Amino acid sequence: MIKKALAAVAIVAALCPGASQARAGWFDEKDLTLTGAYYYPEHWDESQWERDLKRMHDLGFEFTHFAEFAWAQLEPQEGVYDFGWLDRAVALAAKYDLKVVMCTSTATPPVWLVRKYPEVLIREEDGTVLDHGARQHASFASPLYRRLAERMVEALARHYGSDSRIVGWQIDNEPTVQYDYGSAAESGFRDFLRRRYGGSVAELNRAWGTAFWSEVYSSFDEVTLPKTRQQFMNPHQILDYKRYAAWVTNDFIDSQCRLIKKHARNQWVTTNNIPDYDRGIIGGSPSLDFVSYTRYMVYGDNEGIGRRGYRVGNPLRIAMANDFFRPVSGTYGVMELQPGQVNWGAINPQPLPGAVRLWLWSVFAGGADFICTYRYRQPLFGMEQYHYGIVGTDGVSLTPGGREYERFMGEVRALRPEARSLDTKPADYVGRTAAILWNPENYWSMDRQKQNSTWNTFRHLDHYYKALKAFGAPVDFITEETSFEAYPVVVAPAYELADSALVDKWKRYVERGGNLVLTCRTALKDRSGHFPEAPFGAMAGALTGNKIDFYDLLLPDSPGTVTMDGKAYEWNTWGDVLTPGGGSEVWAAYSGEFYEGRPAVTFRRLGRGTVTYVGVDTRDGRLERRVLEKLYARLGIGVMDLPYGVTVEYRNGFGIVLNYSDAPYRFSVPRGARILVGGETVPTAGVLVFRF
């Protein structure tokens, strides 16, 4: 499902403290979801602004988005600000009943800044120094850049913080975690390590295992940024560098957020994350009110279903982003959703008719409070000339995606009188709820030491996620700090880095009635990435009831098989060979190797709950789905059997059926339900909405 790993803080523990306020105060449930569009007044002759904003309102949009890349216009000279043009744009938006989301513009520092202060530019690992003429080329680790950016942000916040026409703020633009190799980043890394290890270089040496290969440091000043392209570079050093880079990014976001909140009155603050789950989640910034994300679906990756699937997109790409970002604070929105063709993909095809509307309903289905499209007008110049908007190059003609946005907004308005509370959902749907425990540090650790070139952490995770969505199960991605007790089933896939506190939390969850699914590569190392001085895999052995005798890795062109309930499944990437303890059931065993008949999957009861251990990673995930089917059956939890490409979600008393597959899907609505959008036969790129 996932092409790229899912940019942000490794420590996602600092979930937004404003979660209840966000859900209760920022958005009105009776609106269901609000829809907006990016607009760039600085790109267009001012005589066209009123026409454009009026048309935006007439189409059904409820908010717009200003100033994302406008630092050069906001601060044309150092310390000299010009908000007059933006004031006029805000006034026109208000005239047509469009609220405004303001952006801080820090992704595009002006040329005067980088020419006067070239030291703020990012240096890549190969020595390349980025330059003016693009975006996101200034280093979050540079104290000088931070001061300049924060001065501009505070001036903007002081000017608009009490303006009731401004509903919220977006910080930066898609602020991805930077791996900067400049001198400021190196100095910042040393300071980060001093804090992390309490000023003790001896503790750093222990954590990094520097006794190996004569890597011992005598002071923090000897530490440099790890050369990740250098073969055999210390994996523990790289792990800490990724932690540092994530922290810097979130600190940059958080500092802007705090400045805005000094002046903002009744305005929310978010940022638009790219769902690059390998880097974590930009939600660790504790001052944000909630997180939002960017989502593009069709750009030539061919992850859809069937011959024309590349025009519809990956069936679970939006669902997974919903499930990943929603739990951070209880509310979320999509700040950029594709309106049609884009300009930056390997191939940039037209979406299938209906696909844009399908994506909108997919975002809605997860519980989103708002959806914003990038962008209202297709640009006439610049890097994104070929990027579609709601209207085309003449500024007035609706694009195909523009018509689908108009249709969706009309459908949502029609649903509003029918809406109930957001959490009005069928009991059987809620009863299937599951959580996936995620920490990007596990990915960082395993990606540096895969042990098998075919190992793919996200494919492994996807086996479980795809199965749960086929069950029609609500899924939350959670962190270790989340209470597990709210979830009947918790899956911790390939959770390599652990400690006794986490294992104890897992054990308490199970003993109190929870059902835990652990998989291969879980709890093998401590938080520094060391093996404990104990039998291999022993950290969770008392919990799983298993002893891991050894693990095996097979050649991809000569896979092995594992058998469960009379069916064989291929594997090659990783297989734990287990000796289960008393009271454990063997659900699957290996065949065709010298350990023929040895257990690969076990199940045991512990206290009032259960632990399932899946010691093998299969090629296609069919075994993993079968394990979860058997577990849910044991628990007496009924599941659906949805084909890949079809998802069913509930919110506000509505059921939403989405069809990404290449064939029509027949869905029988529950007795007494009333169809509001579509019909029981849902075509490709079609949507069914019913009130249950």
Side-chain angles (χ1 to χ4, degrees):
M1 181 207 80
I2 308 167
K3 181 181 181 182
K4 293 194 282 190
L6 282 178
V9 78
I11 319 293
V12 276
L15 299 184
C16 303
S20 60
Q21 181 187 17
R23 172 54 65 195
W26 299 125
F27 301 96
D28 192 331
E29 283 192 5
K30 69 179 178 60
D31 292 329
L32 295 178
T33 199
L34 302 173
T35 311
Y38 278 61
Y39 189 71
Y40 296 87
E42 67 273 21
H43 292 183
W44 311 107
D45 189 285
E46 191 167 343
S47 65
Q48 298 178 350
W49 295 359
E50 184 162 8
R51 178 201 68 187
D52 293 345
L53 293 166
K54 179 180 184 302
R55 182 81 184 288
M56 196 183 299
H57 167 267
D58 292 345
L59 289 169
F61 289 99
E62 293 153 308
F63 68 92
T64 188
H65 181 288
F66 290 160
E68 183 181 42
F69 299 126
W71 191 344
Q73 289 84 3
L74 295 171
E75 190 179 5
Q77 301 175 51
E78 184 172 2
V80 177
Y81 298 100
D82 178 9
F83 300 124
W85 65 275
L86 191 52
D87 288 342
R88 295 191 295 277
V90 169
L92 283 172
K95 180 178 178 179
Y96 294 104
D97 200 27
L98 294 167
K99 292 294 186 181
V100 174
V101 175
M102 194 65 72
C103 189
T104 62
S105 299
T106 48
T108 51
V111 67
W112 62 256
L113 189 154
V114 298
R115 295 293 178 258
K116 185 174 181 180
Y117 307 109
E119 62 268 37
V120 306
L121 293 168
I122 291 172
R123 179 183 294 273
E124 296 182 334
E125 186 176 347
D126 65 1
T128 300
V129 177
L130 304 188
D131 197 5
H132 185 78
R135 69 185 196 191
Q136 292 157 325
H137 44 279
S139 173
F140 300 157
S142 165
L144 173 58
Y145 174 67
R146 293 277 291 265
R147 286 196 299 272
L148 293 166
E150 289 165 4
R151 184 180 65 185
M152 183 274 293
V153 169
E154 185 160 23
L156 192 65
R158 187 181 295 114
H159 190 80
Y160 290 110
S162 59
D163 192 328
S164 62
R165 299 168 298 182
I166 312 301
V167 68
W169 294 77
Q170 174 194 309
I171 291 175
D172 203 83
N173 169 69
E174 299 172 352
T176 186
V177 171
Q178 294 178 347
Y179 296 119
D180 179 28
Y181 278 75
S183 58
E186 188 158 84
S187 177
F189 182 47
R190 291 168 179 156
D191 289 341
F192 174 84
L193 295 173
R194 288 186 181 96
R195 294 191 300 272
R196 182 171 179 83
Y197 296 109
S200 169
V201 74
E203 280 300 302
L204 178 141
N205 282 315
R206 183 202 61 77
W208 287 8
T210 57
F212 191 80
W213 285 355
S214 190
E215 296 172 1
V216 179
Y217 294 94
S218 59
S219 77
F220 286 98
D221 291 334
E222 293 177 339
V223 175
T224 57
L225 297 170
K227 308 306 182 284
T228 61
R229 300 177 187 179
Q230 181 174 331
Q231 191 177 24
F232 305 133
M233 176 59 69
N234 187 316
H236 315 292
Q237 181 179 1
I238 293 172
L239 180 62
D240 268 348
Y241 175 53
K242 289 181 179 289
R243 287 169 170 149
Y244 162 71
W247 173 82
V248 167
T249 301
N250 281 272
D251 190 60
F252 175 68
I253 293 167
D254 199 55
S255 67
Q256 290 194 43
C257 191
R258 291 194 303 270
L259 285 172
I260 291 169
K261 290 195 168 191
K262 280 176 56 178
H263 305 283
R265 301 292 179 268
N266 300 314
Q267 297 168 345
W268 45 257
V269 186
T270 189
T271 190
N272 61 329
N273 305 280
I274 303 174
D276 287 338
Y277 311 110
D278 58 328
R279 300 190 181 190
I281 176 172
I282 299 179
S285 170
S287 300
L288 289 174
D289 292 303
F290 54 86
V291 294
S292 55
Y293 70 83
T294 287
R295 187 79 284 176
Y296 288 85
M297 293 294 293
V298 167
Y299 45 85
D301 65 348
N302 201 25
E303 290 188 2
I305 296 172
R307 181 172 176 267
R308 299 300 185 196
Y310 68 93
R311 296 191 186 276
V312 181
N314 184 310
L316 295 179
R317 184 175 286 140
I318 289 176
M320 189 172 196
N322 292 341
D323 294 342
F324 193 80
F325 287 98
R326 181 187 56 249
V328 174
S329 61
T331 193
Y332 76 98
V334 174
M335 197 62 80
E336 292 186 36
L337 186 67
Q338 185 174 355
Q341 281 178 296
V342 297
N343 67 292
W344 45 264
I347 301 169
N348 298 293
Q350 283 282 349
L352 192 73
V356 171
R357 175 172 166 266
L358 174 66
W359 305 334
L360 285 158
W361 278 111
S362 298
V363 174
F364 176 91
D369 288 290
F370 67 87
I371 308 170
C372 190
T373 187
Y374 181 84
R375 46 189 284 163
Y376 178 70
R377 291 187 63 173
Q378 181 172 349
L380 304 182
F381 48 79
M383 188 63 194
E384 296 179 332
Q385 283 177 285
Y386 286 97
H387 195 300
Y388 260 39
I390 297 299
V391 297
T393 53
D394 62 0
V396 294
S397 298
L398 281 179
T399 62
R403 289 191 291 271
E404 293 187 27
Y405 264 84
E406 183 181 28
R407 180 180 176 185
F408 168 78
M409 292 184 289
E411 290 169 334
V412 169
R413 286 194 301 273
L415 288 187
R416 284 171 177 166
E418 303 274 354
R420 304 178 193 175
S421 167
L422 179 77
D423 294 326
T424 304
K425 302 171 183 179
D428 58 345
Y429 172 77
V430 174
R432 294 191 286 266
T433 299
I436 293 177
L437 190 63
W438 174 251
N439 184 335
E441 295 190 4
N442 296 305
Y443 169 82
W444 298 339
S445 175
M446 291 181 290
D447 194 55
R448 194 64 187 177
Q449 295 178 316
K450 290 184 175 183
Q451 295 302 103
N452 190 330
S453 63
T454 61
W455 173 264
N456 184 317
T457 302
F458 296 96
R459 184 191 63 195
H460 180 76
L461 180 156
D462 188 42
H463 292 336
Y464 297 92
Y465 181 72
K466 185 184 289 187
L468 291 168
K469 299 307 282 190
F471 294 173
V475 179
D476 285 348
F477 283 80
I478 63 171
T479 70
E480 294 174 27
E481 289 68 31
T482 307
S483 172
F484 299 163
E485 272 66 29
Y487 300 97
V489 175
V490 172
V491 183
Y495 212 88
E496 185 170 74
L497 306 182
D499 54 27
S500 59
L502 175 59
V503 174
D504 287 346
K505 184 172 181 176
W506 283 338
K507 185 171 182 287
R508 288 193 301 273
Y509 164 71
V510 171
E511 289 176 337
R512 294 170 183 174
N515 301 283
L516 181 66
V517 179
L518 301 179
T519 82
C520 61
R521 303 197 73 157
T522 290
L524 298 183
K525 298 181 179 182
D526 66 18
R527 303 294 187 171
S528 295
H530 296 195
F531 288 133
E533 193 170 351
F536 185 77
M539 196 185 310
L543 176 62
T544 66
N546 295 323
K547 175 178 177 290
I548 300 176
D549 291 323
F550 56 89
Y551 64 93
D552 200 11
L553 314 167
L554 308 181
L555 300 176
D557 58 357
S558 183
T561 56
V562 60
T563 302
M564 179 174 177
D565 297 333
K567 293 185 179 180
Y569 305 88
E570 286 191 346
W571 73 280
N572 78 280
T573 301
W574 191 286
D576 290 331
V577 177
L578 308 173
T579 297
S584 292
E585 299 178 25
V586 175
W587 279 7
Y590 295 102
S591 56
E593 297 295 334
F594 63 86
Y595 39 88
E596 176 96 26
R598 296 292 301 277
V601 179
T602 62
F603 170 87
R604 71 182 298 228
R605 296 190 180 276
L606 181 65
R608 300 200 302 272
T610 68
V611 182
T612 306
Y613 186 80
V614 187
V616 64
D617 174 62
T618 69
R619 288 188 158 191
D620 56 16
R622 289 187 303 115
L623 171 73
E624 289 84 343
R625 176 167 173 168
R626 177 66 193 122
V627 168
L628 291 180
E629 286 173 345
K630 190 165 185 173
L631 174 63
Y632 271 69
R634 281 288 183 94
L635 301 177
I637 301 174
V639 300
M640 302 181 74
D641 183 18
L642 297 170
Y644 181 55
V646 175
T647 55
V648 177
E649 305 282 9
Y650 291 87
R651 62 168 290 181
N652 295 99
F654 303 121
I656 304 105
V657 183
L658 308 159
N659 187 7
Y660 284 78
S661 73
D662 60 349
Y665 178 74
R666 176 76 178 177
F667 181 87
S668 297
V669 299
R671 181 177 299 174
R674 183 158 50 93
I675 294 176
L676 303 172
V677 176
E680 288 189 318
T681 298
V682 187
T684 298
V687 177
L688 163 64
V689 181
F690 59 92
R691 179 169 173 175
F692 64 89

